[in-house]
Amino acid sequence: IMCNNGCILPVEGFLQGLRDLCTEYGITLIFDEVITGFRMGLGGAQTYFGITPDLSIFAKALASGYPLSAIVGKKEWMSLIEQSKVIHAGTMNSSNATVAAALATIKVLQQENPYQRMFSLGKQLMQGLQETAKKYHHKMLVQGPGPMFNIAFTEQAEIQDYRDTFITDKQLLGRFIAGMHRKGIRIIGRGLWYISAAHTEDDIKQAIKTADEVLLEMQNK
Ligand SMILES: Cc1ncc(COP(=O)(O)O)c(C=O)c1O
């Protein structure tokens, strides 16, 4: 999922096609799960889509905000590190506190299984933003799977590739985001939203109410 470029979902067959090509030509298939990991589910986007890469990288939600990243993969590739054929050196490797944070995060995610709720809250927020924008005649596109999604001011019905991200009104997005920030809702500057396991229905309602105020102000200016 191209989270940093409009939250573009892979088209049907794309990931399987990549898997097949990489297997055929002996190429390592690597999934960047830095954003999708522990957000789409405990098994990341690869479990969600049912495609297994050779290597993947995880970070961000893995340790609930503690600075940690991880590279994981099939034994065939990871054993190269074990055999010291590939160097995996880093000052912060195996930092106890961040690894403890990741273990605690995974434990809570396993116990609480918040994923259905995160998808549902995400969809609720996406729909609320869409309806509010429509009410004030703003052409706001909201797209993504739910636990993460993107907003863009554009006439397009969908952002399908990187090129489409250029046909969006970044100035209008900037005004919306600044308005939200002023009223205490923090959104990432490029229009990306995340739902976390800690979010509640009240948070969603507050975000929609605030978006309503900001979109109204934008209409009047
Ligand atoms: C999807 C994705 N991959 C990789 C990275 C890079 O991570 P880092 O800043 O740790 O190099 C980011 C950073 O935000 C990201 O969003």
Side-chain angles (χ1 to χ4, degrees):
I1 305 171
M2 300 269 287
C3 298
N4 288 320
N5 296 292
C7 247
I8 304 166
L9 286 157
V11 293
E12 186 74 32
F14 176 72
L15 294 177
Q16 186 61 56
L18 278 183
R19 178 64 279 177
D20 293 346
L21 281 172
C22 287
T23 305
E24 189 182 343
Y25 292 109
I27 297 167
T28 323
L29 179 63
I30 306 171
F31 278 7
D32 176 345
E33 296 246 30
V34 165
I35 291 180
T36 50
F38 300 91
R39 286 202 172 98
M40 291 298 285
L42 266 174
Q46 53 197 271
T47 302
Y48 184 83
F49 292 115
I51 305 291
T52 308
D54 299 305
L55 293 176
S56 354
I57 53 165
F58 291 87
K60 300 195 196 287
L62 164 61
S64 297
Y66 277 77
L68 181 71
S69 60
I71 176 165
V72 300
K74 293 180 180 168
K75 195 172 171 74
E76 162 192 6
W77 303 94
M78 298 306 288
S79 62
L80 297 174
I81 296 173
E82 214 172 82
Q83 297 158 22
S84 297
K85 287 186 179 162
V86 172
I87 303 292
H88 178 51
T91 309
M92 301 300 176
N93 284 5
S94 309
S95 154
N96 289 349
T98 52
V99 171
L103 290 174
T105 300
I106 293 166
K107 194 169 158 191
V108 170
L109 292 176
Q110 278 170 333
Q111 277 168 358
E112 292 184 8
N113 193 7
Y115 292 106
Q116 208 181 350
R117 194 164 54 84
M118 282 165 63
F119 272 83
S120 150
L121 288 179
K123 294 277 178 204
Q124 207 176 310
L125 179 52
M126 289 170 74
Q127 195 182 341
L129 290 172
Q130 234 151 11
E131 283 167 6
T132 311
K134 204 168 163 191
K135 185 165 107 185
Y136 298 118
H137 309 290
H138 287 293
K139 303 262 181 268
M140 187 202 270
L141 170 65
V142 186
Q143 76 173 44
M148 71 288 284
F149 64 86
N150 186 79
I151 57 166
F153 288 87
T154 178
E155 302 268 347
Q156 300 173 97
E158 196 184 351
I159 291 177
Q160 288 181 303
D161 58 34
Y162 185 54
R163 281 179 294 278
D164 291 346
T165 64
F166 293 107
I167 322 167
T168 65
D169 191 331
K170 302 259 183 334
Q171 242 180 2
L172 220 46
L173 178 68
R175 278 175 59 199
F176 176 72
I177 289 175
M180 293 295 280
H181 284 181
R182 270 196 295 275
K183 290 174 189 285
I185 306 275
R186 188 188 173 273
I187 318 160
I188 298 165
R190 51 190 184 276
L192 185 59
W193 297 59
Y194 294 137
I195 301 294
S196 88
H199 280 128
T200 63
E201 205 149 315
D202 280 347
D203 295 325
I204 303 302
K205 284 186 190 145
Q206 190 194 343
I208 297 170
K209 185 173 163 286
T210 308
D212 189 297
E213 293 165 13
V214 174
L215 288 164
L216 173 63
E217 280 169 17
M218 284 166 64
Q219 192 197 36
N220 292 337
K221 270 190 205 152

